Amino acid sequence: MLEPRLRTMWLANAASGAAAVAVRTPRPVFAAEVRRAQRETVVASDLEVVTVTDHSAVITWTTRTRNRAGRLRPAPADTEVRIAPADGRGEARTWVFEGLRTPYHYAEVRDLEPGRAYRFEAYSDGQRAVPARTLVTRRSGTPESTGVFTTATPPPGRLLRTIALANDLHYGEPASGLFAGLFEGLRHNTDQYPEFMLRAMLEDLRLPDRAADHLVVAGDLTDSGTAEQSRGVRGSLDEWGSLGRDYFVCRGNHDVRSQEGTDHWGEVFHARERLVEYFVGGLRLIGLDTTRPRGAGGTISPPQLAYLRELLRGEPDRPTLIFGHHPVTRHAAVSNPGGPGFVLDRFNAAALHALYATAPGVFLHHSGHTHRNRLSRPDSGIGVEFLEVGAVKEYPGGYTLLRVHEGGYMVNFYKTRSEAARRWSTRTRSQYLGLHPDHALGSCVDRNHVVRRDFSGLRAEPSAR
């Protein structure tokens, strides 16, 4: 028989061993807890360094958790970005933290130094955000793959004015992502996504950190050019400013006359095959109608081309921004999924290049139609930037700001910031079998770059800062 002290120790050991066995035995409970923990763990992905200016950067990502079936679903989490100079060895410190929980993260890092490289890390609930499985952000050398971005060196001189470049509103469109009958598209539960995406952009442009003086919309304002759509989009734009003073538009292929043959868009804005010319502080804006009566491709009518030649010949050195719906270059023709027949026809594209060669004041040609951000190479050695801008109405869901300084201009693409816009942009990433980001986002240089040019003769906008 055990002595009392040993008996007590034996009983204690036996009890603790039994308790341990009891904890280990019910393995189904343990497995369930593991599965629940896996479901509740946040997955932070879709990391994108969208905007890089001279003093700021915009970084976006999405957080998800797994449901009972193991599928990822959007899940709210906090938003944190840590920053450190890339030339230093110190740990990155928290620069942005937002405790308001959301699945759709938008972090704007401010007060950075111009022309400096920064290391960055993005987190939600302690989980580091990583790029999605797309080439555009995972390829070698991208900010998302290296964890480093470099702020721009701004053009010299004062900021004269800020012009927002936008396109492809598709006001009234019932489904996003339709393509030649191959994809049925995504539907929003309200069927109002073009409306709230437009509203999100217009609200953004009036905020002090964007402060757009003017807005240029390069076509496809409506889905099908009906009277209701044309009046609706005009009403939204008129709440933002005045046509011909604050905002400027041209026609896209979706704005061509409606099924009954009436040109409702023309009645609300301006007639078909009409070139429009405006002046803002000495800067000239010229809008082209590049649409055909039928089809998605583009052309320019001979009278319109003759009028453009006359205008450019009259003031060849005046700083001029030209906008039309269809892209112009060979590079755009061969790199878009629709091929050469989807952009401006080769005859008129060559004619524009020839005209621009005789008018050194033309510095930028803005187009839409392809729903992507793309800085395209000119067909000849002319000093004109051919810029395609992503669609307002779907991923990446935004606009480009053209900040004109005395010594050049800076181009930056921004996603719109409202919760509804970020939610819809995230959902439409999945369009076209998930390949849409590789098509639409563009490279960091496509979206963000600086061009030196002499604009010292332009007048500053009173509201420009």
Side-chain angles (χ1 to χ4, degrees), residues 213-406:
D213 302 303
H214 307 285
L215 168 63
V216 174
V217 186
D220 278 5
L221 280 71
T222 67
D223 176 54
S224 53
T226 67
E228 180 182 9
Q229 293 170 5
S230 300
R231 288 194 296 266
V233 73
R234 174 69 188 265
S236 294
L237 291 169
D238 282 350
E239 291 178 5
W240 190 83
S242 298
L243 177 63
R245 185 192 69 189
D246 303 308
Y247 76 90
F248 315 93
V249 303
C250 69
R251 189 190 299 258
N253 58 296
H254 279 258
D255 303 317
V256 177
R257 67 190 62 194
S258 59
Q259 292 181 351
E260 65 268 24
T262 304
D263 185 12
H264 297 296
W265 194 95
E267 293 173 350
V268 171
F269 292 102
H270 46 73
R272 285 200 71 240
E273 299 181 356
R274 178 185 168 190
L275 178 153
V276 291
E277 181 188 32
Y278 305 98
F279 295 90
V280 291
L283 175 67
R284 176 168 54 184
L285 304 175
I286 295 178
L288 304 175
D289 183 349
T290 60
T291 62
R292 299 176 182 271
R294 297 181 183 82
T299 191
I300 302 176
S301 63
Q304 195 178 181
L305 193 62
Y307 187 30
L308 177 62
R309 183 179 295 108
E310 178 184 335
L311 293 178
L312 296 182
R313 184 180 297 159
E315 292 187 283
D317 297 314
R318 179 183 286 275
T320 301
L321 186 158
I322 296 180
F323 60 102
H325 187 59
H326 293 82
V328 174
T329 66
R330 290 193 186 96
H331 183 226
V334 301
S335 64
N336 85 88
F342 195 67
V343 302
L344 194 70
D345 66 81
R346 291 298 86 204
F347 174 82
N348 281 288
L352 287 182
H353 276 76
L355 287 180
Y356 296 167
T358 65
V362 178
F363 66 93
L364 189 144
H365 185 116
H366 161 220
S367 58
H369 193 48
T370 54
H371 295 205
R372 66 181 180 176
N373 292 306
R374 179 64 65 95
L375 177 59
S376 191
R377 297 189 299 270
D379 297 349
S380 58
I382 57 177
V384 179
E385 175 172 326
F386 291 88
L387 185 67
E388 301 165 51
V389 176
V392 172
K393 62 100 175 178
E394 66 188 6
Y395 175 89
Y399 54 89
T400 287
L401 289 187
L402 181 72
R403 294 184 173 98
V404 181
H405 293 247
E406 290 174 316

Side-chain angles (χ1 to χ4, degrees), residues 62-261:
T62 308
T63 49
R64 302 175 175 89
T65 56
R66 297 188 183 278
N67 61 15
R68 291 184 177 275
R71 296 177 180 175
L72 288 170
R73 291 290 183 264
D78 60 27
T79 300
E80 180 184 6
V81 175
R82 303 174 190 172
I83 294 287
D87 54 3
R89 296 184 178 181
E91 290 187 3
R93 67 181 181 88
T94 298
W95 203 281
V96 174
F97 182 82
E98 176 57 67
L100 183 64
R101 300 174 71 80
T102 178
Y104 314 106
H105 302 270
Y106 187 108
E108 186 154 2
V109 183
R110 307 176 190 273
D111 301 321
L112 303 176
E113 297 180 25
R116 189 166 189 182
Y118 288 89
R119 291 182 282 115
F120 75 96
E121 302 166 0
Y123 291 89
S124 285
D125 286 0
Q127 299 298 314
R128 186 169 178 176
V130 297
R133 297 183 181 279
T134 56
L135 181 62
V136 69
T137 52
R138 282 187 178 262
R139 66 160 57 101
S140 176
T142 65
E144 295 85 358
S145 65
T146 62
V148 176
F149 64 79
T150 302
T151 53
T153 300
R158 294 179 302 152
L159 173 63
L160 300 176
R161 62 188 59 245
T162 299
I163 301 172
L165 307 178
N167 40 263
D168 297 282
L169 314 181
H170 289 238
Y171 193 95
E173 183 181 70
S176 181
L178 298 169
F179 183 74
L182 299 177
F183 303 99
E184 64 179 17
L186 299 173
R187 290 184 178 273
H188 191 269
N189 55 8
T190 65
D191 287 337
Q192 301 296 314
Y193 63 87
E195 289 85 338
F196 69 67
M197 293 297 283
L198 171 58
R199 185 167 59 252
M201 178 187 71
L202 297 178
E203 291 172 352
D204 257 19
L205 295 180
R206 284 301 191 210
L207 294 176
D209 57 355
R210 301 294 182 263
D213 302 303
H214 307 285
L215 168 63
V216 174
V217 186
D220 278 5
L221 280 71
T222 67
D223 176 54
S224 53
T226 67
E228 180 182 9
Q229 293 170 5
S230 300
R231 288 194 296 266
V233 73
R234 174 69 188 265
S236 294
L237 291 169
D238 282 350
E239 291 178 5
W240 190 83
S242 298
L243 177 63
R245 185 192 69 189
D246 303 308
Y247 76 90
F248 315 93
V249 303
C250 69
R251 189 190 299 258
N253 58 296
H254 279 258
D255 303 317
V256 177
R257 67 190 62 194
S258 59
Q259 292 181 351
E260 65 268 24

